[in-house]
Amino acid sequence: MQEFPTPPTVGKVIELTGDEGRHAVSVKRTSVGEQIELVDGHGTRAVITVTGVSGKDRLVGVVDCVASEPAPRPTVTVVQALPKAARSELTVDLLTQAGADVIVPWQAGRSVANWGKKQDKGLAKWRAAARAAAKQSRRSRIPEITPVADQAAVVALIQAAPLALMLHEDATGKITDQPVAQVDSVVLIIGPEGGISPAELDAFTAAGAHPVRLGPEVLRTASAGMVALAALGAVTDRW
């Protein structure tokens, strides 16, 4: 799967060069006659038949078909507390593979990582990780990575959402207790390795978030979101 450079229509000739062309030609070793998928990252997917390959980074093909894939329902915005640097991009990779629609980096009170003045660098890494994971998992939509949120911004997201769920190890409720299949969007809050602080728990609960737990195990922040998204997918039309 590649990203197409211009809007596709059936019969249109598409040329891939640069990084995309190099990946198709030199890494995937795509040859004439093969079909590849192209996406725009916003739900449009095209299938093209390769008609020419040259050098190490140039591929030409003709568009066979184009489809616009609807957004999943409900859409899920994941508020992800900043993980340790070593697990940061893995976290985004797993969230993307599991189908997150929007990922909000959250500077939680107990986050070990603190982007501070390095926010632009951190966001660039997360966006690159989301793009790569979307390709690997053949998604037609690349999740949006928003600017870093503080507690007040998370409260605002909760208040604006039809349903907000907050993973917490002391919660007694489950995701299946919530009307996730009856809403168009869900906010899912994932705390840091040190857990959501009492002040954050109180603020988010007061704003309308529902504490839930996934099971008896305590998951790492890097994998908790992926497991929660899988649970949401199983009880809604997302899967």
Side-chain angles (χ1 to χ4, degrees):
M1 184 182 74
Q2 308 292 324
E3 290 180 89
F4 50 72
T6 56
T9 55
V10 174
K12 182 181 180 67
V13 175
I14 295 288
E15 179 181 13
L16 292 181
T17 58
D19 290 342
E20 298 296 339
R22 186 175 300 106
H23 181 78
V25 175
S26 299
V27 179
K28 300 290 288 186
R29 298 188 180 279
T30 306
S31 58
V32 173
E34 289 188 58
Q35 288 187 322
I36 63 174
E37 291 185 350
L38 307 179
V39 302
D40 66 350
H42 302 286
T44 301
R45 187 187 302 272
V47 176
I48 77 166
T49 296
V50 178
T51 58
V53 174
S54 60
K56 296 181 179 180
D57 63 356
R58 182 176 181 274
L59 178 148
V60 178
V62 177
V63 178
D64 295 327
C65 60
V66 181
S68 180
E69 300 177 355
R73 182 184 182 278
T75 58
V76 181
T77 295
V78 179
V79 177
Q80 174 65 59
L82 299 182
K84 296 177 181 178
R87 299 192 183 101
S88 187
E89 289 162 74
L90 171 62
T91 303
V92 176
D93 184 291
L94 295 178
L95 290 175
T96 302
Q97 290 186 55
D101 300 293
V102 179
I103 302 174
V104 180
W106 168 35
Q107 186 68 66
R110 292 178 175 174
S111 290
V112 174
N114 188 331
W115 283 1
K117 296 181 179 180
K118 299 179 181 179
Q119 288 188 25
D120 289 345
K121 183 177 180 180
L123 289 172
K125 288 184 176 180
W126 278 34
R127 286 165 181 158
R131 183 172 178 268
K135 287 185 179 183
Q136 185 277 329
S137 55
R138 299 186 181 181
R139 288 187 55 170
S140 64
R141 297 176 184 274
I142 300 173
E144 175 190 357
I145 308 294
T146 75
V148 180
D150 58 12
Q151 179 176 310
V154 177
V155 166
L157 283 172
I158 294 168
Q159 292 174 333
L163 179 65
L165 306 177
M166 172 174 50
L167 298 190
H168 197 277
E169 61 183 296
D170 293 331
T172 56
K174 301 180 293 185
I175 286 178
T176 51
D177 296 332
Q178 301 298 324
V180 291
Q182 301 171 28
V183 296
D184 291 327
S185 62
V186 175
V187 168
L188 177 65
I189 303 167
I190 313 296
E193 295 289 359
I196 294 173
S197 72
E200 290 165 341
L201 179 63
D202 290 344
F204 297 163
T205 302
H210 301 273
V212 295
R213 63 183 299 172
L214 294 174
E217 296 82 11
V218 177
L219 302 175
R220 290 188 181 277
T221 190
S223 57
M226 183 181 198
V227 174
L229 284 163
L232 286 169
V235 296
T236 66
D237 292 334
R238 289 177 62 90
W239 286 7

